């Protein structure tokens, strides 16, 4: 049965109230007519009308009282009235009604407006077929921006030019040569254009020169995220204080508890299984046979050295590791993997792939390069290829937690943890059809560490792929816990790692910049720290769930006692 909703009818007598001229914002009140007043209906000026009705009321009242006194004196029935007396009574009533409204003409007007709005709402809520119920349109929002300090005359002219479209907003840095000033002008133009305030978004206290051409375009400020410290995390014999940038209450406290349990149990150990960033272009041929010839060529051991020489020209750190090709008809998806030193390496591997594609045109002139990325990489998306083959750093981290620590620190038991892990992280995730999500909340810790250390937040998608395993050992007295994360994509140079705050967090971990010992050592160590923090977070959250403390802890640490009733949109 095809069920279609009938479009709502426009409200009666309300169309013009919500229609605005073209090129005008609903927030503009210059073109809106003033609301009607009751005094507009008077034929005379208000002060003259008041004088007339005041005089009329008291004169008629005196006349009628005088006439009624005479009737009582001469025994004349009061209900017998002359035409003059009848006119006086009508005048008295009319003047009384007017004077009643005079002392609160706006009060009377409110009843008139209420009646009009009630009619309009009734027209909206009840339509012809009495089945469609819609809400009346919202009242237009009138922007009331705060009164900032006046801009210098030169900056004011630039703001007007940006609003008029004469000067593109993106070109302010190159035109002015001052990134801070460009951000300030763009910010003011944005507020005027949208009619909304961004007063709470900080502008001062940030080095806008450091992000020019690298981190962010057309900045108007920066977002503040609190950074908490979990630890010490005892990992591979070293202690780390793990910075976590988050707005989720209880996350840092929970991870810190996991670090404590691991610390008093002897710490955790980690192993980097693989280190290689990938890029997979998609190319097309006229036939599938021709595409298969490319596959055989690329995967042939005899050709790998030649391809590696061409690929490695892109950087002194890029070293081609493997080439894997798969076909979809006449389309070939070629997945290149290479080491990238201490950089996360996306740009590095892309340049190397570009070199190889140009080289291949000599032997495959009929090859049509569709895209430098064909999603077989796979970047910023959950994918089985990353789960199986790995991408970035593939890390496994493990720890043995003593039974007494499980009882005293984690407030649960070994048996409860093992059972919950099997039913939740393994069975439950399988029922959900999870792809790389066989864990409790790995992405929580990964995202927090990524934000604090200047990693690409979007790569949290594949970096959070994790399987958490728990097993009772030593006759069930202790528990062995591990996390296996095949695609942690991190770097300690380039991108957001060069920003002052993020650089400070990397320095806290001892992995700032490029390693002086061996290329890639700092980025690999950062990946193990991420895995170690995830291990601590998994251990603590699973314990809270097993002990029935999850809701209680979140009510304690993840609820604000401040009055937020005034936290509404500022216009």
């Amino acid at each position: 049965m095809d069920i279609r909703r009938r479009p709502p009818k426009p409200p009666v007598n309300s169309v013009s109230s919500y229609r605005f001229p073209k090129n005008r914002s609903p927030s503009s009140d210059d073109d809106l007519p003033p609301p009607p007043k009751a005094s507009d209906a008077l034929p005379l000026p208000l002060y003259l009308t008041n004088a007339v009705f005041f005089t009329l009321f008291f004169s008629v009242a005196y006349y009628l009282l005088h006439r009624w006194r005479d009737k009582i004196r001469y025994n004349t029935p009061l209900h017998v009235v002359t035409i003059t007396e009848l006119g006086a009574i009508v005048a008295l009533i009319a003047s009384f009604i007017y004077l009643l409204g005079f002392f609160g003409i706006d009060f009377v007007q409110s009843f008139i407006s209420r009646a009009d709005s009630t009619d309009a709402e009734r027209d909206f809520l009840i339509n012809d077929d009495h089945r469609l119920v819609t809400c009346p349109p919202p009242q237009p929002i009138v922007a009331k921006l705060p009164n900032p300090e006046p801009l210098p005359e030169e900056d004011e002219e630039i703001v007007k030019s940006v609003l008029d479209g004469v000067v593109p907003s993106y070109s302010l840095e190159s035109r002015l040569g001052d990134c801070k000033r460009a951000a300030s002008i763009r910010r003011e133009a944005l507020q005027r254009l949208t009619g909304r305030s961004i007063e709470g978004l900080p502008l001062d206290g940030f080095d806008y020169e450091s992000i020019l051409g690298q981190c962010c375009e057309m900045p108007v400020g920066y977002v503040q995220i609190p950074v908490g410290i979990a630890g010490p995390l005892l990992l591979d014999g070293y202690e780390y204080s793990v910075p976590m940038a988050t707005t989720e209450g209880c996350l840092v406290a929970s991870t810190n508890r996991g670090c404590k349990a691991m610390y008093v149990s002897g710490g955790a150990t980690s192993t980097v299984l693989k280190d290689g960033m990938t890029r997979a272009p998609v190319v097309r041929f006229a036939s599938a046979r021709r595409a298969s010839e490319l596959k055989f060529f690329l995967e042939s051991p005899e050709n790998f050295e030649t391809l590696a020489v061409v690929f490695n020209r892109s950087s002194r750190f890029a070293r081609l590791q493997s080439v894997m090709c798969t076909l979809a008809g006449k389309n070939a998806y070629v997945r290149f993997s290479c080491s990238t030193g201490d950089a996360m390496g996306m740009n590095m591997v892309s340049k190397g792939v570009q070199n190889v594609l140009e080289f291949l045109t000599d032997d495959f002139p009929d090859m049509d390069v569709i895209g430098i990325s064909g999603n077989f990489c796979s970047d910023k998306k959950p994918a089985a290829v990353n789960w199986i083959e790995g991408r970035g750093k593939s890390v496994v981290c493990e720890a043995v937690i003593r039974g007494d620590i499980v009882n005293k620190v984690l407030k649960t038991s070994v048996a409860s943890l093992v059972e919950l892990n099997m039913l939740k992280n393994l069975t439950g995730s399988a029922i959900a059809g999870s792809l790389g999500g066989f864990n409790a909340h790995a992405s929580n810790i990964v995202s927090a560490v990524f934000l604090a250390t200047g990693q690409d937040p979007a790569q949290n998608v594949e970096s959070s792929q994790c399987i958490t395993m728990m097993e009772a050992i030593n006759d069930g007295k202790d528990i062995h816990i591990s996390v296996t994360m095949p695609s942690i994509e991190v770097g300690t140079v380039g991108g957001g790692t060069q920003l002052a705050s993020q650089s400070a967090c990397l320095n806290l971990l001892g992995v700032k910049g490029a390693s002086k010992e061996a290329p890639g050592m700092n980025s690999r160590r950062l990946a193990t720290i991420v895995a170690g923090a995830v291990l601590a977070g998994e251990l603590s959250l699973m314990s809270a769930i097993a002990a029935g403390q999850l809701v209680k802890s979140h009510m304690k640490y993840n609820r604000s006692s401040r009055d937020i009733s005034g936290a509404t949109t500022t216009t």
Side-chain angles (χ1 to χ4, degrees):
M1 181 178 179
D2 186 15
I3 300 176
R4 302 175 184 270
R5 294 188 63 184
R6 181 179 300 178
K9 294 185 177 181
V12 180
N13 299 329
S14 301
V15 176
S16 59
S17 301
Y18 304 99
R19 183 172 297 171
F20 301 94
K22 293 182 178 179
N23 302 324
R24 293 291 293 172
S25 169
S27 62
S28 301
D29 57 355
D30 297 336
D31 297 337
L32 296 177
K37 300 180 179 179
S39 58
D40 295 341
L42 299 177
L44 297 176
L46 185 59
Y47 73 94
L48 291 179
T49 306
N50 291 341
V52 170
F53 277 92
F54 263 103
T55 303
L56 181 63
F57 177 83
F58 289 108
S59 299
V60 170
Y62 176 81
Y63 171 77
L64 290 176
L65 289 175
H66 180 74
R67 291 293 301 154
W68 289 341
R69 186 190 63 177
D70 290 341
K71 288 185 178 185
I72 294 173
R73 179 181 299 175
Y74 298 112
N75 295 325
T76 304
L78 295 178
H79 64 274
V80 178
V81 294
T82 63
I83 295 179
T84 305
E85 292 172 345
L86 182 61
I89 294 174
V90 173
L92 179 68
I93 297 173
S95 59
F96 175 79
I97 293 175
Y98 174 82
L99 293 177
L100 180 66
F102 169 73
F103 290 103
I105 200 163
D106 290 335
F107 178 76
V108 175
Q109 174 66 23
S110 67
F111 281 96
I112 299 174
S113 301
R114 186 179 303 173
D116 291 342
S117 62
T118 302
D119 292 340
E121 290 177 3
R122 183 176 65 251
D123 291 335
F124 266 97
L125 295 176
I126 304 177
N127 59 8
D128 292 344
D129 59 7
H130 302 281
R131 290 179 296 177
L132 179 62
V133 179
T134 58
C135 297
Q139 295 291 337
I141 299 175
V142 180
K144 296 180 180 178
L145 294 177
N147 297 322
E149 297 181 1
L151 295 175
E153 184 176 352
E154 183 180 358
D155 289 356
E156 185 68 33
E157 292 297 326
I158 299 176
V159 170
K160 293 179 180 178
S161 299
V162 172
L163 293 174
D164 294 338
V166 177
V167 176
S169 177
Y170 62 80
S171 67
L172 288 175
E173 281 80 3
S174 59
R175 286 174 177 264
L176 300 176
D178 186 340
C179 294
K180 169 70 179 302
R181 182 184 172 199
S184 176
I185 292 174
R186 182 181 296 111
R187 177 191 184 96
E188 180 62 27
L190 175 67
Q191 293 186 113
R192 296 185 189 182
L193 180 66
T194 62
R196 295 193 177 276
S197 171
I198 54 173
E199 184 180 8
L201 186 68
L203 176 67
D204 298 324
F206 189 82
D207 182 11
Y208 292 92
E209 303 286 345
S210 64
I211 65 174
L212 181 63
Q214 184 164 358
C215 292
C216 181
E217 299 76 33
M218 296 190 288
V220 294
Y222 59 96
V223 174
Q224 296 170 308
I225 302 179
V227 177
I229 297 296
L233 171 66
L234 182 56
L235 178 66
D236 298 325
Y238 295 92
E239 295 183 6
Y240 300 97
S241 296
V242 183
M244 302 175 66
T246 180
T247 56
E248 180 183 349
C250 208
L251 177 59
V252 178
S254 177
T255 308
N256 188 69
R257 184 177 74 150
C259 289
K260 178 181 179 181
M262 292 163 55
Y263 189 94
V264 296
S265 294
T269 58
S270 65
T271 304
V272 178
L273 306 175
K274 187 184 297 186
D275 180 8
M277 182 50 62
T278 63
R279 176 61 83 193
V282 52
V283 298
R284 182 169 58 192
F285 290 88
S287 66
R289 178 179 294 275
R290 186 61 173 158
S292 64
E293 292 176 1
L294 174 67
K295 172 182 171 63
F296 297 144
F297 178 87
L298 293 174
E299 295 182 349
S300 173
E302 291 81 7
N303 297 325
F304 180 81
E305 290 298 327
T306 303
L307 295 175
V309 171
V310 175
F311 186 98
N312 296 344
R313 292 174 187 166
S314 60
S315 170
R316 60 193 177 100
F317 296 107
R319 293 296 178 266
L320 184 64
Q321 297 173 337
S322 64
V323 181
M324 181 175 64
C325 185
T326 188
L327 302 185
K330 59 182 181 178
N331 304 303
Y333 296 82
V334 188
R335 193 172 193 258
F336 295 84
S337 178
C338 77
S339 60
T340 57
D342 284 303
M344 185 270 290
M346 284 298 301
N347 292 333
M348 192 182 302
V349 67
S350 297
K351 289 189 292 183
V353 169
Q354 187 67 43
N355 290 344
V356 173
L357 291 177
E358 293 175 356
F359 169 78
L360 290 175
T361 55
D362 293 337
D363 294 320
F364 299 90
D366 54 337
M367 180 180 68
D368 184 13
V369 179
I370 304 300
I372 190 68
S373 174
N375 274 7
F376 188 44
C377 314
S378 173
D379 187 39
K380 300 180 176 68
K381 290 167 284 293
V385 68
N386 292 340
W387 180 248
I388 299 171
E389 297 291 334
R391 189 171 195 255
K393 278 71 175 172
S394 300
V395 181
V396 59
C397 187
E398 62 182 343
V400 174
I401 311 299
R402 300 198 312 266
D404 60 323
I405 302 302
V406 173
N407 296 328
K408 295 178 182 179
V409 178
L410 301 177
K411 312 299 182 184
T412 186
S413 65
V414 171
S416 297
L417 279 176
V418 173
E419 181 183 31
L420 178 63
N421 186 72
M422 180 186 67
L423 295 178
K424 171 182 166 63
N425 288 343
L426 303 182
T427 308
S429 297
I431 292 175
S434 178
L435 179 60
F438 295 87
N439 57 81
H441 70 148
S443 63
N444 252 340
I445 291 87
V446 173
S447 295
V449 177
F450 270 30
L451 290 173
T453 58
Q455 310 305 313
D456 188 340
Q459 289 183 324
N460 163 68
V461 176
E462 61 267 38
S463 297
S464 296
Q465 289 187 327
C466 168
I467 183 169
T468 300
M469 303 292 292
M470 295 185 186
E471 179 183 353
I473 59 174
N474 300 331
D475 297 327
K477 298 179 181 179
D478 305 325
I479 186 171
H480 178 274
I481 178 174
S482 67
V483 292
T484 305
M485 307 178 70
S487 52
I488 301 178
E489 300 170 2
V490 293
T492 58
V493 296
T497 64
Q498 51 134 19
L499 300 179
S501 301
Q502 289 80 349
S503 179
C505 290
L506 289 172
N507 188 60
L508 176 65
L509 294 171
V511 294
K512 177 182 176 181
S515 172
K516 297 180 180 179
E517 301 176 21
M521 179 173 290
N522 278 355
S523 62
R524 286 192 292 271
R525 183 174 299 169
L526 177 58
T528 62
I529 293 173
V530 171
V534 168
L535 183 66
E538 290 287 283
L539 181 62
S540 183
L541 177 61
M542 292 293 288
S543 299
I545 297 175
Q549 298 174 342
L550 179 64
V551 176
K552 181 180 178 181
S553 61
H554 272 266
M555 291 301 101
K556 181 178 179 180
Y557 294 103
N558 202 19
R559 287 293 182 270
S560 173
S561 59
R562 296 176 56 189
D563 180 14
I564 59 173
S565 59
T568 56
T569 302
T570 302
T571 58

